[in-house]
Amino acid sequence: MTIDGFVALYIFMLAAFAGWVIIGRVPAILHTPLMSGSNFVHGIVVIGGLYALLNASTGLEQGIGFIAVLLGAGNAAGGYAVTDRMLAMFQTSGHQPVHATHKGGAHRRKSTSPKKG
Amino acid sequence: MLTMLPPLLIDIVGIVAAFLLMFGLWRMSSPVTAPAGIKVAGIGMVAAVAASFLYVFNISPAAHPHLPVNLALAGIALAVGGGLAWWGGRKVAMTAMPQMVALYNGMGGGAAGAIAAMELFGNHARGVTQLGVTLLGAIIGAVSLSGSLIAWAKLQGVLNKPLRIKGQQIINAVVMLATLAVGFYILFIVQSGTVPVLSLQALICLFFGCAMLFGILMTLPIGGADMPVVISIYNAFTGLAVGLEGFVLQTPALMIAGMLVGAAGILLTLLMAKAMNRSVSNVLFTNFGDVVKQKQGAIKGSLKPTAAGDAGIAMRYAGSVIIVPGYGLAAAQGQQKLYEFVKLLIAAGVKVRFAVHPVAGRMPGQMDVLLAEAGVPYDLIFQLEDINDDFAATDIVLVIGANDVVNPSARSDKSSPIFGMPILNADKAKQVYVVKRGEGKGYAGIVNPLFYADNCNMVYGDAQAVMVEMIEAVRGLGLSAAA
């Protein structure tokens, strides 16, 4: 598949629009996970690094490709780890069953009765 | 046939991965669906990485003898880079989240820059468009890398003071122009085939050096208060760089994901700048600290200290309480104790809500995360626009570790550097208690008239210690169960 000039512009335009719309819907309460989440999404750069590294034919290319994959993998893995951790913390005090979170899913009691009294 | 299949599979997985990444972000519109959303996006990422190994069937003949070494390098890089970052991300304290995001973001920018460097050194790019896009992506990626690292150092406290030199802007402009000039020269040389003054390798190194220097110089003078905006800008930059290099590598998944984040990052930056009453160009090209030194109007009233226990008991008997948390709370690790206190109040029948300013903390939404970490349910947490009208009808406001976000001079005092910034109307409540470590100024270094107002009392002390005192005072009443 070859993507040239205008096809690339179409892709860029639609993706930019999608990004704008998607992020416009996110409530302020989730802005930190959103930032780390979008940070994770551009971690996809790691596959670009992999293409380049697998195609390397000189020592210099291997070296730079290694750095590209190393950094890209760090971006993706780290971005995912912090986002997932933060999102698991958000819980309601509501009565409806809490969404399926993993380990952090222990539902907190609505109120704690005082020890004294 | 056998060589046709792997690229087809890569394309299919690429489309699926791009969809899953977008869908994952889409699910982030609510705290209920967000945790599942990020998992969906994670699956997309893993699939894309796994499928990219199919590329071994289509590499150039020159790379064939190196394939075993390259595969080993790829495996090591994935394991080491991914492993270390994963470990760091699992371990990092929630208060240190902004610098961690800056660090991961710098890595992404570095990866995009490195891909561009390989294209340039290997002279792979075909045609003036591809070469131009490679160079543009390289500049943005390199600026994002070095700039993010400076932002990380500042937030981590490695670099404390904003560094300003005279003529900073001129120097920055010169460095940027130099970067562009070297870039155009590379473009010209490669296209025309003329012999360069320096070797092409040296020029490429110079090009990256200038771009990274620009990132450093651009970030150094920016004060800590503006760092959230800066991180967001670099997040958008990395996205753009990834998208552009995706075009060079002819990989639509990179183009889509990169440009998506680029646009999202720009929108987020604008939202944030608006919440801080700063324009983006203001953040980048003027220095926050400089405006603060001007004189401020005389302040009426006096600071009225009160005991933590008394404030706690007052809240126990109030009908409604709004809590305004700020970074000082997190710095004192007081969130857990605060929520313990809140649970006591709720058990006693007090209506308690949290009001979070968009820029509370060191990055937007960080306060929400810190409260969630302490177990505060998110339906008790309200954003500025949803709660600001309720302050006037509220009995007591507890401002804890926050300062600038409740400074009424943002509404009234035109000479104030934060004039026009949206603030929480804490001063309109019947009674305000402010928990503060001492009489110092806030992050922006501005005097807060609220503290001197008639309806305001100060509770001095470490936020965590103050909360413990309040809890003890309320428990000491022995009445809370009766309510």
Side-chain angles (χ1 to χ4, degrees):
Chain A
M1 165 165 44
T2 321
I3 308 156
D4 41 52
F6 272 95
V7 180
L9 283 179
Y10 279 119
I11 294 178
F12 282 152
M13 181 191 72
L14 291 171
F17 195 75
W20 191 274
V21 171
I22 290 173
I23 267 52
R25 294 169 74 239
V26 178
I29 189 172
L30 288 178
H31 272 172
T32 291
L34 172 70
M35 215 196 280
S36 68
S38 58
N39 189 17
F40 157 71
V41 167
H42 67 51
I44 189 117
V45 68
V46 66
I47 69 170
L50 280 169
Y51 289 162
L53 175 57
L54 293 176
N55 224 355
S57 51
T58 65
L60 178 70
E61 286 183 337
Q62 285 174 326
I64 306 175
F66 180 78
I67 293 171
V69 177
L70 187 80
L71 293 177
N75 183 180
Y80 181 85
V82 294
T83 311
D84 185 51
R85 232 181 102 196
M86 279 191 276
L87 289 176
M89 289 171 184
F90 284 89
Q91 305 175 32
T92 55
S93 63
H95 325 286
Q96 66 271 65
V98 168
H99 50 277
T101 46
H102 59 159
K103 51 215 170 210
H107 192 26
R108 304 211 181 230
R109 271 176 299 163
K110 198 175 145 210
S111 58
T112 321
S113 45
K115 298 207 169 80
K116 270 193 192 177
Chain B
M1 189 61 205
L2 212 65
T3 50
M4 284 303 290
L5 197 57
L8 183 67
L9 274 174
I10 291 178
D11 280 339
I12 291 170
V13 176
I15 286 187
V16 173
F19 171 77
L20 292 178
L21 289 173
M22 282 199 281
F23 185 67
L25 276 185
W26 174 260
R27 299 279 282 173
M28 271 209 196
S29 58
S30 149
V32 180
T33 54
I38 185 72
K39 288 192 170 55
V40 166
I43 292 167
M45 184 72 76
V46 171
V49 170
S52 63
F53 277 95
L54 288 172
Y55 189 62
V56 294
F57 296 107
N58 299 85
I59 54 174
S60 67
H64 265 294
H66 304 282
L67 191 57
V69 181
N70 289 351
L71 273 173
L73 285 174
I76 295 170
L78 280 177
V80 173
L84 282 179
W86 182 272
W87 175 74
R90 285 279 150 200
K91 215 177 64 82
V92 63
M94 284 298 143
T95 41
M97 198 51 74
Q99 50 266 51
M100 212 59 192
V101 172
L103 196 60
Y104 294 143
N105 186 51
M107 288 174 140
I115 291 169
M118 282 188 78
E119 296 291 317
L120 293 172
F121 280 124
N123 214 344
H124 294 306
R126 296 152 296 270
V128 74
T129 317
Q130 277 220 339
L131 191 56
V133 171
T134 309
L135 289 164
L136 186 61
I139 293 180
I140 300 173
V143 168
S144 180
L145 168 66
S146 61
S148 295
L149 288 179
I150 297 293
W152 170 81
K154 279 176 175 259
L155 288 162
Q156 187 72 23
V158 181
L159 281 173
N160 280 325
K161 288 250 158 73
L163 189 91
R164 288 161 194 149
I165 22 177
K166 270 199 171 169
Q168 182 101 40
Q169 320 235 22
I170 298 160
I171 297 173
N172 288 4
V174 168
V175 174
M176 187 73 247
L177 285 175
T179 315
L180 289 175
V182 178
F184 276 112
Y185 190 55
I186 292 174
L187 196 64
F188 170 74
I189 286 165
V190 174
Q191 285 310 114
S192 65
T194 42
V195 184
V197 274
L198 289 162
S199 73
L200 188 61
Q201 269 81 0
L203 278 174
I204 295 170
C205 290
L206 181 68
F207 173 71
F208 276 101
C210 285
M212 284 175 65
L213 181 65
F214 179 77
I216 294 172
L217 289 175
M218 189 170 110
T219 322
L220 273 179
I222 301 175
D226 284 335
M227 272 306 137
V229 179
V230 174
I231 298 174
S232 183
I233 289 172
Y234 287 141
N235 195 29
F237 273 20
T238 302
L240 289 176
V242 171
L244 293 174
E245 298 309 330
F247 169 70
V248 176
L249 293 171
Q250 295 282 299
T251 315
L254 258 70
M255 297 171 66
I256 293 172
M259 202 48 67
L260 186 90
V261 176
I266 290 167
L267 175 62
L268 201 54
T269 308
L270 294 174
L271 288 176
M272 230 181 280
K274 202 176 140 211
M276 297 169 75
N277 191 37
R278 313 262 287 129
S279 74
V280 175
S281 68
N282 228 342
V283 170
L284 293 180
F285 304 116
T286 59
N287 309 315
F288 197 40
D290 292 358
V291 239
V292 180
K293 291 186 187 89
Q294 68 199 47
K295 261 193 258 163
Q296 298 209 317
I299 289 180
K300 284 172 273 178
S302 60
L303 294 167
K304 296 166 288 295
T306 190
D310 296 347
I313 288 166
M315 279 182 266
R316 156 68 182 79
Y317 289 106
S320 57
V321 171
I322 295 179
I323 296 169
V324 179
Y327 193 74
L329 173 69
Q333 300 279 311
Q335 307 96 290
Q336 303 277 353
K337 290 287 167 201
L338 174 63
Y339 184 46
E340 209 179 315
F341 177 65
V342 167
K343 281 191 282 192
L344 281 180
L345 294 183
I346 292 174
V350 183
K351 184 186 181 194
V352 186
R353 288 174 295 172
F354 288 84
V356 176
H357 192 274
V359 293
R362 291 288 179 271
M363 88 195 262
Q366 193 190 5
M367 207 62 230
D368 303 290
V369 173
L370 292 167
L371 290 175
E373 186 189 21
V376 177
Y378 58 79
D379 45 349
L380 294 185
I381 304 173
F382 291 79
Q383 306 299 317
L384 184 136
E385 61 275 13
D386 299 324
I387 203 169
N388 231 1
D389 295 334
D390 295 358
F391 277 102
T394 298
D395 295 328
I396 296 181
V397 170
L398 175 66
V399 178
I400 176 158
N403 188 343
D404 299 325
V405 298
V406 291
N407 191 335
S409 57
R411 268 199 316 257
S412 52
D413 181 4
K414 281 204 174 137
S415 69
S416 172
I418 57 167
F419 178 72
M421 178 171 103
I423 58 151
L424 290 162
N425 296 329
D427 56 316
K428 299 210 167 146
K430 292 179 189 118
Q431 170 68 42
V432 182
Y433 290 108
V434 177
V435 178
K436 241 174 139 288
R437 236 186 357 206
E439 291 184 13
K441 290 170 184 170
Y443 207 45
I446 309 155
V447 176
N448 192 339
L450 167 69
F451 301 165
Y452 299 85
D454 290 337
N455 62 343
C456 180
N457 285 97
M458 307 297 291
V459 180
Y460 291 119
D462 171 81
Q464 193 179 346
V466 166
M467 289 329 297
V468 171
E469 279 180 57
M470 286 188 183
I471 291 167
E472 281 169 2
V474 171
R475 286 218 172 116
L477 291 171
L479 291 169
S480 27

